[in-house]
Amino acid sequence: MEILKQDLRPYGIDPSKGRSYENITYVLALVYNTLQARVEKYLAAQNLCAVQFNLLMLAAYQNNGQGLSQVDLSKRLIASASNITKLVEKSVRAGWLTRKTNPQNRRANIICITEQGQKLIDSIWPGYDALLRSLTACIPAQEQAAMAQILDKWFFNLQQENK
Protein backbone atom coordinates (compact mmCIF):
# COMPACT_ATOMS: atom_id res chain seq x y z
CA MET A 1 0.00 0.00 0.00
CA GLU A 2 1.34 3.42 -0.93
CA ILE A 3 1.85 6.02 1.78
CA LEU A 4 0.44 9.35 0.72
CA LYS A 5 1.94 12.67 1.77
CA GLN A 6 -0.86 14.79 3.12
CA ASP A 7 -1.24 18.38 4.21
CA LEU A 8 -1.51 18.31 8.00
CA ARG A 9 -2.32 22.01 8.38
CA PRO A 10 -6.10 21.40 8.69
CA TYR A 11 -5.24 19.45 11.84
CA GLY A 12 -3.23 22.35 13.27
CA ILE A 13 0.13 20.85 12.29
CA ASP A 14 2.46 23.01 10.22
CA PRO A 15 5.67 21.08 9.36
CA SER A 16 7.20 24.21 7.80
CA LYS A 17 7.74 25.60 11.32
CA GLY A 18 10.47 22.99 11.83
CA ARG A 19 9.16 21.76 15.16
CA SER A 20 9.43 18.01 14.62
CA TYR A 21 8.64 17.33 18.29
CA GLU A 22 5.29 19.05 17.81
CA ASN A 23 4.56 17.11 14.63
CA ILE A 24 5.41 13.82 16.34
CA THR A 25 3.16 14.37 19.33
CA TYR A 26 0.21 15.75 17.38
CA VAL A 27 0.35 13.15 14.62
CA LEU A 28 0.72 10.41 17.20
CA ALA A 29 -2.42 11.68 18.93
CA LEU A 30 -4.28 11.71 15.60
CA VAL A 31 -3.07 8.20 14.80
CA TYR A 32 -4.11 6.98 18.25
CA ASN A 33 -7.61 8.44 17.87
CA THR A 34 -8.01 6.85 14.45
CA LEU A 35 -6.77 3.45 15.62
CA GLN A 36 -8.90 3.61 18.76
CA ALA A 37 -12.04 4.37 16.74
CA ARG A 38 -11.42 1.41 14.41
CA VAL A 39 -10.65 -0.98 17.27
CA GLU A 40 -13.71 0.19 19.23
CA LYS A 41 -15.89 -0.39 16.15
CA TYR A 42 -14.58 -3.94 15.76
CA LEU A 43 -14.96 -4.75 19.46
CA ALA A 44 -18.43 -3.17 19.67
CA ALA A 45 -19.62 -5.87 17.26
CA GLN A 46 -18.38 -8.35 19.92
CA ASN A 47 -20.21 -6.42 22.69
CA LEU A 48 -16.92 -5.21 24.20
CA CYS A 49 -15.03 -1.94 24.47
CA ALA A 50 -11.26 -1.68 24.04
CA VAL A 51 -10.56 -1.24 27.76
CA GLN A 52 -12.65 -4.30 28.59
CA PHE A 53 -10.88 -6.39 25.93
CA ASN A 54 -7.51 -5.25 27.26
CA LEU A 55 -8.66 -6.08 30.79
CA LEU A 56 -9.43 -9.63 29.67
CA MET A 57 -6.09 -9.88 27.85
CA LEU A 58 -4.16 -8.72 30.93
CA ALA A 59 -6.01 -11.13 33.20
CA ALA A 60 -5.28 -13.97 30.78
CA TYR A 61 -1.67 -13.32 29.83
CA GLN A 62 0.08 -11.27 32.50
CA ASN A 63 1.57 -12.77 35.66
CA ASN A 64 1.59 -16.27 34.12
CA GLY A 65 -2.20 -16.35 34.09
CA GLN A 66 -2.33 -16.05 37.90
CA GLY A 67 -4.33 -12.84 37.71
CA LEU A 68 -3.57 -9.29 38.74
CA SER A 69 -4.81 -6.96 41.43
CA GLN A 70 -7.30 -4.30 40.43
CA VAL A 71 -4.66 -1.68 41.27
CA ASP A 72 -2.20 -3.28 38.82
CA LEU A 73 -4.93 -3.52 36.20
CA SER A 74 -5.80 0.17 36.54
CA LYS A 75 -2.12 1.15 36.21
CA ARG A 76 -1.62 -0.96 33.09
CA LEU A 77 -4.84 0.16 31.47
CA ILE A 78 -4.46 3.83 32.31
CA ALA A 79 -7.96 3.89 33.72
CA SER A 80 -9.40 5.13 36.97
CA ALA A 81 -9.92 2.70 39.82
CA SER A 82 -13.69 3.28 39.68
CA ASN A 83 -13.79 2.58 35.94
CA ILE A 84 -11.80 -0.64 36.42
CA THR A 85 -14.13 -1.67 39.26
CA LYS A 86 -17.17 -1.23 36.99
CA LEU A 87 -15.55 -3.13 34.12
CA VAL A 88 -14.41 -5.94 36.40
CA GLU A 89 -17.89 -6.21 37.89
CA LYS A 90 -19.47 -6.32 34.43
CA SER A 91 -16.96 -8.96 33.31
CA VAL A 92 -17.52 -11.04 36.46
CA ARG A 93 -21.30 -10.93 35.87
CA ALA A 94 -20.72 -12.02 32.26
CA GLY A 95 -18.65 -14.97 33.50
CA TRP A 96 -15.39 -13.81 31.87
CA LEU A 97 -13.46 -12.98 35.05
CA THR A 98 -13.35 -14.12 38.65
CA ARG A 99 -12.45 -12.08 41.70
CA LYS A 100 -10.67 -13.73 44.62
CA THR A 101 -9.11 -12.40 47.79
CA ASN A 102 -5.36 -11.84 47.64
CA PRO A 103 -3.78 -14.22 50.20
CA GLN A 104 -1.02 -11.64 50.93
CA ASN A 105 -3.45 -8.74 51.39
CA ARG A 106 -7.00 -9.62 52.36
CA ARG A 107 -8.20 -6.12 51.41
CA ALA A 108 -7.13 -6.61 47.77
CA ASN A 109 -8.68 -8.72 45.05
CA ILE A 110 -6.95 -10.78 42.39
CA ILE A 111 -8.72 -10.74 39.04
CA CYS A 112 -8.41 -13.90 36.94
CA ILE A 113 -9.68 -14.97 33.54
CA THR A 114 -12.27 -17.75 33.41
CA GLU A 115 -12.52 -20.49 30.82
CA GLN A 116 -15.44 -18.60 29.28
CA GLY A 117 -13.37 -15.42 29.18
CA GLN A 118 -10.47 -17.25 27.54
CA LYS A 119 -12.83 -18.68 24.92
CA LEU A 120 -14.10 -15.16 24.22
CA ILE A 121 -10.53 -13.87 23.72
CA ASP A 122 -9.71 -16.83 21.51
CA SER A 123 -12.77 -16.19 19.33
CA ILE A 124 -12.08 -12.46 18.99
CA TRP A 125 -8.31 -12.62 18.49
CA PRO A 126 -8.11 -13.67 14.80
CA GLY A 127 -10.27 -10.75 13.66
CA TYR A 128 -8.56 -8.34 16.04
CA ASP A 129 -5.13 -9.42 14.80
CA ALA A 130 -6.26 -9.06 11.18
CA LEU A 131 -7.54 -5.55 11.96
CA LEU A 132 -4.22 -4.51 13.52
CA ARG A 133 -2.34 -5.91 10.54
CA SER A 134 -4.57 -4.00 8.12
CA LEU A 135 -4.16 -0.77 10.09
CA THR A 136 -0.37 -0.99 9.82
CA ALA A 137 -0.18 -2.47 6.31
CA CYS A 138 0.76 0.89 4.75
CA ILE A 139 4.05 0.82 6.67
CA PRO A 140 6.74 -1.46 5.14
CA ALA A 141 7.82 -4.31 7.45
CA GLN A 142 11.37 -2.99 8.03
CA GLU A 143 9.97 0.44 8.91
CA GLN A 144 7.45 -1.18 11.28
CA ALA A 145 10.31 -2.79 13.20
CA ALA A 146 12.20 0.51 13.42
CA MET A 147 9.04 2.37 14.43
CA ALA A 148 8.29 -0.20 17.12
CA GLN A 149 11.81 0.25 18.55
CA ILE A 150 11.50 4.02 18.56
CA LEU A 151 8.08 4.00 20.21
CA ASP A 152 9.19 1.42 22.79
CA LYS A 153 12.24 3.51 23.65
CA TRP A 154 10.15 6.68 23.91
CA PHE A 155 7.56 4.97 26.11
CA PHE A 156 10.12 3.50 28.52
CA ASN A 157 12.01 6.79 28.75
CA LEU A 158 8.79 8.60 29.59
CA GLN A 159 7.98 5.93 32.18
CA GLN A 160 11.38 6.45 33.83
CA GLU A 161 10.71 10.19 34.04
CA ASN A 162 7.49 9.45 35.96
CA LYS A 163 9.34 7.61 38.73
Side-chain angles (χ1 to χ4, degrees):
M1 180 182 283
E2 180 183 344
I3 299 176
L4 303 174
K5 180 69 174 160
Q6 297 292 322
D7 182 4
L8 296 171
R9 287 177 294 183
Y11 299 97
I13 303 167
D14 186 356
S16 68
K17 292 182 178 178
R19 295 191 298 238
S20 295
Y21 61 91
E22 191 174 71
N23 292 16
I24 291 167
T25 53
Y26 290 162
V27 170
L28 188 62
L30 291 169
V31 168
Y32 172 80
N33 287 338
T34 302
L35 296 175
Q36 185 72 8
R38 303 261 181 97
V39 166
E40 288 287 357
K41 182 178 178 183
Y42 171 76
L43 292 173
Q46 318 299 321
N47 294 316
L48 289 172
C49 67
V51 175
Q52 193 170 24
F53 180 67
N54 289 330
L55 173 67
L56 296 174
M57 294 291 289
L58 284 171
Y61 298 113
Q62 293 294 303
N63 198 24
N64 297 317
Q66 299 302 304
L68 293 167
S69 72
Q70 284 187 222
V71 171
D72 286 338
L73 289 169
S74 66
K75 287 178 185 175
R76 293 177 190 202
L77 291 172
I78 313 169
S80 69
S82 64
N83 191 23
I84 292 300
T85 300
K86 290 174 190 172
L87 286 172
V88 166
E89 187 57 39
K90 184 177 179 180
S91 298
V92 167
R93 281 195 311 268
W96 302 328
L97 294 175
T98 60
R99 182 187 295 120
K100 59 185 179 184
T101 303
N102 182 339
Q104 280 82 38
N105 179 354
R106 295 174 49 100
R107 293 179 293 160
N109 290 317
I110 301 294
I111 309 304
C112 298
I113 194 79
T114 64
E115 186 177 329
Q116 185 179 349
Q118 186 63 57
K119 286 179 182 177
L120 178 63
I121 291 170
D122 293 345
S123 71
I124 291 172
W125 183 259
Y128 179 79
D129 186 60
L131 174 63
L132 296 183
R133 287 174 188 266
S134 73
L135 292 171
T136 58
C138 64
I139 305 168
Q142 67 275 19
E143 290 181 26
Q144 285 185 24
M147 182 181 284
Q149 278 188 316
I150 291 166
L151 292 173
D152 288 353
K153 182 178 179 180
W154 187 18
F155 172 72
F156 288 111
N157 281 328
L158 291 172
Q159 290 296 95
Q160 288 301 314
E161 292 172 10
N162 279 344
K163 291 183 178 181

